[in-house]
Amino acid sequence: MRIHLSRPDITEKEIEAVCAVLRTPNLSLGPKVSEFEQAFANYIGRKRAVAVNSGTSGLFLCMLALGIGPGDEVITTPFTFIASATPIMMVGAKPAFVDIDPVNLNIDPAKIEPGITKKTKAILPVEVFSNPAAFDKVCEIAQKHNLPVIEDSCEALGSTLNGRKVGTFGEISVFGFYPNKQMTTGEGGMILTDDDELADMCISLRNQGRDKSGGWLGHIRLGYNFRLSDINCALGIVQLSRIDEIKAKRRQVAKWYQEMLAGDDRLIVPTEQAGCELSWFVFVVRLAERFTHRQRDQILQTMNAKGIQVSNYFPPVHLQPFMAKQFGYKEGDFPVTESVCKSTVALPFYNNLTKDEVAIVCGTLKETLDKTGLLI
Ligand SMILES: Cc1ncc(COP(=O)(O)O)c(C=O)c1O
């Protein structure tokens, strides 16, 4: 592969911080966990932060802490990574999908109310590709129906809507730190909330159902081991301290792409919506409507064969076979999602991508588009 889809950005500072932990006996349950949590809560501007071993476990713990279980429904979107929906299923509830807005690719607020039933227990907007949802409308509907909002902020660390950071709109929100994210801990996630009860429940659930007073072998509920080690947290602390630099680098790469792809009517190039400042998780272009699904797949194949790693972010979640089988979802259920999914090409995108590499990607993409008719 000549140019990868994503790459972490690890400096000597991160390496030193991880090595420093390795020289102590505190590899887990040590001081780096609360240091990382405190720094993260301060950055986002929320009262509590609870570190966990992945974004998926974080979302799962949100479900449990909010008392969501068998027979319940959580409203969310099918245009996302699978792990927005699977935590809902892990507690025996149903991801009740509603379609997305074709511009910001987030939950379409107009579709939420028709999706609310007696079984609805929460609304879970996804800040897909780091795009904030229309939170004014989403939160208004949630309040009207007395439903908590769970923000899946896994892709959106550092994005803002009208100056307010994502992760502060819902009752509870979750970030993810897999290495393709804006910042990484290797694997990891963070739950954010202003509600002490929810935070304390998540702390107990991530740590084998222990409570504050019960000691190491006192377990007051069914719990899990979703702890994040001090090694991961040390890495996270340094990455978070670099977040402004990271955001600036990503913004620059996005700008190069926007400039080099401008004016090509075969492409819909991502931009920031009014009031939004993106932290740019990925750079996903969409092909114009005249391109077929098959042509998009052919374009992906050709680019990958040429050493430019690209991907189809995302196939529709409701059409994943296990999901369709369990809930009866089928083609045609969410037309906006399905049409967007057929047109996306995620281009290589990471902090240290150079202008020359962006030019190679754009040149290869244009050349591939020129030949698309011939490729099929
Ligand atoms: C939107 C979204 N939700 C949830 C997750 C799950 O996070 P993790 O991979 O850390 O479990 C991810 C990322 O991987 C994601 O992109």
Side-chain angles (χ1 to χ4, degrees), residues 53-57 59 80-81 83-84 126-128 152 154-155 175-178 180-181 187-189 281 314:
N53 61 355
S54 74
T56 308
S57 355
L59 287 165
T80 180
F81 181 61
S84 301
V126 182
E127 283 129 5
V128 71
D152 181 344
C154 283
E155 299 186 357
F175 290 86
F177 308 131
Y178 181 75
N180 67 346
K181 298 296 189 296
E187 293 281 2
F281 167 50
F314 289 109

Side-chain angles (χ1 to χ4, degrees), residues 58-76 84-96 118-125 146-151 171-172 198 201 205 222 224:
L59 287 165
F60 174 57
L61 292 192
C62 291
M63 302 298 149
L64 292 175
L66 287 165
I68 296 167
D72 294 338
E73 294 178 358
V74 175
I75 291 187
T76 189
S84 301
T86 45
I88 301 169
M89 296 172 70
M90 289 173 198
V91 297
K94 175 184 173 182
K118 284 191 181 123
K119 296 177 181 172
T120 307
K121 288 289 166 348
I123 302 172
L124 192 156
N146 202 19
L147 294 168
V149 170
I150 305 166
E151 265 181 274
E171 269 65 30
I172 197 160
L198 287 178
M201 179 60 87
L205 289 167
L222 173 64
Y224 305 83

Side-chain angles (χ1 to χ4, degrees), residues 183-352:
M183 62 158 273
T184 187
T185 58
E187 293 281 2
M190 192 72 83
I191 303 167
L192 276 294
T193 183
D194 293 330
D195 184 322
D196 285 323
E197 251 180 66
L198 287 178
D200 289 341
M201 179 60 87
C202 290
I203 287 172
S204 171
L205 289 167
R206 81 167 169 193
N207 191 20
Q208 307 286 13
R210 296 178 172 106
D211 81 346
K212 281 179 193 154
S213 55
W216 188 247
L217 295 179
H219 308 273
I220 58 162
R221 58 177 61 83
L222 173 64
Y224 305 83
N225 179 356
F226 290 161
R227 297 185 303 257
L228 191 63
S229 83
D230 280 54
I231 304 166
N232 301 92
C233 289
L235 175 52
I237 290 163
V238 180
Q239 288 264 288
L240 184 64
S241 75
R242 296 179 50 220
I243 192 69
D244 289 342
E245 170 209 335
I246 288 173
K247 276 178 63 180
K249 282 176 161 179
R250 297 178 92 81
R251 173 164 293 276
Q252 175 62 77
V253 178
K255 199 158 167 262
W256 287 330
Y257 269 127
Q258 285 167 332
E259 285 165 4
M260 291 186 209
L261 297 175
D264 191 326
D265 73 354
R266 298 169 297 183
L267 297 171
I268 301 166
V269 176
T271 53
E272 285 173 309
Q273 298 305 301
C276 295
E277 192 198 297
L278 300 191
S279 58
W280 293 100
F281 167 50
V282 281
F283 199 86
V284 180
V285 295
R286 284 153 63 190
L287 302 177
E289 259 179 53
R290 60 183 181 276
F291 288 88
T292 64
H293 190 185
R294 192 154 159 255
Q295 284 174 315
R296 191 284 308 267
D297 288 349
Q298 190 75 50
I299 288 162
L300 294 177
Q301 210 180 322
T302 307
M303 299 270 298
N304 280 315
K306 288 184 174 174
I308 312 289
Q309 194 177 17
V310 290
S311 185
N312 59 335
Y313 287 172
F314 289 109
V317 171
H318 65 286
L319 298 179
Q320 295 287 349
F322 75 102
M323 193 75 78
K325 189 169 170 220
Q326 183 164 341
F327 301 110
Y329 289 124
K330 57 187 185 319
E331 189 112 27
D333 282 348
F334 305 105
V336 181
T337 294
E338 289 166 28
S339 126
V340 170
C341 291
K342 287 173 188 166
S343 70
T344 55
V345 179
L347 300 176
F349 192 79
Y350 48 90
N351 297 355
N352 293 325

